[in-house]
Amino acid sequence: MNTSYLLEVAYQRFNAGHEDGAIDSLRQLLADDPECAEAHALLALCLLNMRRLHAAVHEARIALAKDPLLPLAHYAAALVDMASRRFKDAEQHLLQLLDLEPMQPRYYRSLADLYQLTGRLQDSLPLLEKALELQPDDPANLVAMAEYHQANGNWEQAHSFARQALQADAGYAPAVLVLGHLLLREGDINGAREHAIWALQENANNVAALGLLTAVKARSNIFMGFWWRFNRWMNERGSTGAIILLLGMFVVYRVVVITLAGQGLTGAAEVVDWLWLGFAFYTFAAPQIFKRAMEKEMTQVKLSKEF
């Protein structure tokens, strides 16, 4: 079968979120042309989306070895390195990409993602603005801006960019999910659930949509609801702020216990001890329960017939 045709089909399936079908086409292509660097690079991206990181690393390395100047090979290597937490290597690939193709918005977005992962949130904004300048109507650029403002607690701006993305493409799943998370934060559980199912209609294996649906269920559950609110509140303060806050809580706990014990109120001090231990156990157990719920959703996705 024609190599270019198989590659085109693989791209179509990959862009539609059907990685299994894309991999089938790429395997057929590579059986006839194992030297095709572009096929290896696209295969790496498919495998990465399917969370098969080791295999994705292998394919990305093959793509780079076969064509060191292929932009897609560097792009796949950058995303694989980010997933493997090799951030310096990922940054080098992305900077090289910007030299090779300075008019490609997704490279600016990927470098912005890298900076956000490594705590350089403010450094990511000029990159996102550059991507938006290059393609103002691209929903991916608009969603990236929405996510940036969401991470900074700029809720109105996040809403605005998410809705602009949906105006540009009403079926764009990332925009649907950003808006779903914003609605969930505001307490609109039904709206958030509808957005999660909306995204799942397009792709029942959409991990982000399943994550939103699981978060909706956690938010609705009495036991998990408190943890979900606490976790969201901590995340909004960033990693440094969350660490400082937790240390402060621990210091306050110890001061209270020592003060009570020093005043001879040993019973009250023991109660505070048990309350702290209960809080610690709860915050340890709740994420594990959430993770299991997420895994359950990923293995047993059933959409209502009314959608």
Side-chain angles (χ1 to χ4, degrees), residues 13-304:
R13 291 173 174 174
F14 174 76
N15 291 330
H18 303 306
E19 282 82 5
D20 286 333
I23 289 175
D24 287 340
S25 297
L26 291 170
R27 283 176 174 165
Q28 292 179 54
L29 190 161
L30 290 170
D32 294 332
D33 183 9
E35 299 300 311
C36 182
E38 190 173 3
H40 284 287
L42 184 56
L43 181 55
L45 293 174
C46 291
L47 293 167
L48 183 61
N49 283 359
M50 297 176 73
R51 301 178 302 284
R52 295 171 58 184
L53 183 56
H54 181 75
V57 170
H58 177 70
E59 290 298 329
R61 287 176 179 170
I62 291 176
L64 274 176
K66 294 188 180 301
D67 190 347
L69 296 179
L70 178 68
L72 188 67
H74 283 282
Y75 182 64
L79 296 191
V80 165
D81 284 338
M82 286 171 65
S84 304
R85 304 190 68 80
R86 294 192 295 269
F87 297 128
K88 289 184 178 179
D89 292 339
E91 185 173 10
Q92 289 303 312
H93 286 298
L94 290 169
L95 291 174
Q96 188 168 348
L97 276 170
L98 290 176
D99 285 336
L100 292 170
E101 294 185 346
M103 304 302 288
Q104 177 54 259
R106 69 175 176 178
Y107 302 152
Y108 291 96
R109 292 198 307 269
S110 296
L111 188 55
D113 288 341
L114 174 62
Y115 286 164
Q116 291 173 12
L117 280 172
T118 53
R120 300 161 62 183
L121 192 62
Q122 293 305 318
D123 291 340
S124 70
L125 181 57
L127 297 167
L128 297 176
E129 290 174 338
K130 179 63 177 178
L132 193 60
E133 177 188 330
L134 290 170
Q135 290 186 354
D137 296 327
D138 186 340
N141 294 333
L142 293 163
V143 165
M145 289 295 289
E147 291 173 339
Y148 170 83
H149 286 295
Q150 183 182 26
N152 277 280
N154 303 324
W155 310 117
E156 289 186 11
Q157 292 94 323
H159 265 284
S160 175
F161 279 110
R163 293 191 183 282
Q164 287 180 55
L166 285 176
Q167 287 174 1
D169 184 350
Y172 190 59
V176 172
L177 295 174
V178 169
L179 196 53
H181 279 289
L182 290 169
L183 291 172
L184 183 60
R185 182 191 176 278
E186 295 167 356
D188 186 355
I189 296 175
N190 289 332
R193 182 184 292 109
E194 288 173 2
H195 280 69
I197 294 175
W198 182 1
L200 287 169
Q201 282 183 285
E202 299 298 322
N203 180 3
N205 294 316
N206 187 321
V207 175
L210 293 170
L212 175 58
L213 187 60
T214 307
V216 167
K217 291 185 177 182
R219 172 69 173 75
S220 306
N221 182 277
I222 295 176
F223 176 78
M224 293 294 295
F226 173 77
W227 169 79
W228 184 88
R229 293 182 184 88
F230 176 76
N231 186 60
R232 185 203 67 199
W233 184 68
M234 293 292 284
N235 286 337
E236 289 176 359
R237 274 134 192 83
S239 57
T240 302
I243 291 171
I244 293 172
L245 187 58
L246 287 172
L247 287 173
M249 292 170 63
F250 180 76
V251 169
V252 170
Y253 147 69
R254 290 304 302 160
V255 168
V256 170
V257 169
I258 292 170
T259 301
L260 290 173
Q263 293 178 353
L265 302 173
T266 54
E270 287 182 3
V271 169
V272 174
D273 264 328
W274 280 108
L275 287 173
W276 178 262
L277 286 172
F279 171 75
F281 176 77
Y282 175 74
T283 54
F284 171 79
Q288 309 305 316
I289 296 172
F290 183 86
K291 181 180 178 182
R292 285 198 294 270
M294 177 74 177
E295 291 171 347
K296 183 178 179 181
E297 292 292 344
M298 291 176 67
T299 55
Q300 298 179 351
V301 179
K302 294 183 180 180
L303 300 181
S304 170

